[in-house]
Amino acid sequence: GETGVAPTQNWPHLAGQKAAYTAKMLMDYRDRRHVNNKGAELMHDIAVMMTPQQIADVGAYYAVQQAPQGDGTPRPVAKLNPEQLVRKGDPSRLITPCASCHSTRGQGGKLEAPALAGQNPLYFVRTMLDYKSNTRHNDAAQGMRSFAKRLSREEIEALATYYADLPAKR
């Protein structure tokens, strides 16, 4: 979408996303580091036509857009409260807190940790399941793959709803 809010449930919201993360993803599409589905192939076709400056400009543009709130995207029914995973993780399963990379308010962190606040929950679930099944593998040092493999589907869905409904801090 023009303002970075995905018009369908198949795409991530880019509004409010960190510029560096959006640029990284465009480069991953361009260089075929992220081509695990037809949507990624479409993004490859777009990204290969972009100059490095255009990639940086797109990232900067979406970073200053307001992250969506109440976007109308259906939420998975959360069967548990993910607050423990977000803030403390689960040491018994070697799960680090989500907040250690994505911040307590879902604003993203250093390097490639994206903002999660306001994210399309269906895209979030699909992405986490792709990491869990090792279908997606453009995460540095396999960090998200290692994390996602230890989560249940119910935990992933609860995290998706939690982050989708988390207000973006501006």
Side-chain angles (χ1 to χ4, degrees), residues 66-70 75 83 86-87 99 102-108 115-119 158-169:
Q66 183 69 38
Q69 293 180 0
R75 274 42 174 162
E83 196 76 30
V86 171
R87 298 189 181 279
H102 300 281
S103 86
T104 57
R105 303 298 303 151
Q107 297 305 303
L116 300 176
Q119 189 50 264
L159 287 167
T161 297
Y162 174 87
Y163 283 115
D165 293 335
L166 194 64
K169 189 176 182 182

Side-chain angles (χ1 to χ4, degrees), residues 9 21 25 29 35 37 166:
Q9 300 170 14
Y21 181 77
M25 289 305 298
Y29 289 126
V35 288
N37 59 44
L166 194 64

Side-chain angles (χ1 to χ4, degrees), residues 14-119:
L14 300 178
Q17 188 54 264
K18 293 175 15 179
Y21 181 77
T22 300
K24 178 213 181 296
M25 289 305 298
L26 285 168
M27 290 184 291
D28 284 354
Y29 289 126
R30 181 195 67 197
D31 299 340
R32 293 193 176 277
R33 285 187 293 269
H34 178 34
V35 288
N36 60 318
N37 59 44
K38 289 183 183 194
E41 286 290 343
L42 174 64
M43 288 304 302
H44 165 76
D45 294 345
I46 293 168
V48 295
M49 294 186 290
M50 298 174 74
T51 67
Q53 185 61 56
Q54 288 170 324
I55 287 174
D57 290 347
V58 166
Y61 173 79
Y62 286 126
V64 298
Q65 303 303 310
Q66 183 69 38
Q69 293 180 0
D71 65 353
T73 305
R75 274 42 174 162
V77 177
K79 297 177 181 136
L80 54 94
N81 183 343
E83 196 76 30
Q84 171 76 22
L85 285 172
V86 171
R87 298 189 181 279
K88 300 192 187 274
D90 186 345
S92 69
R93 295 187 289 160
L94 301 175
I95 296 176
T96 58
C98 302
S100 65
C101 294
H102 300 281
S103 86
T104 57
R105 303 298 303 151
Q107 297 305 303
K110 294 180 180 176
L111 305 175
E112 69 179 65
L116 300 176
Q119 189 50 264

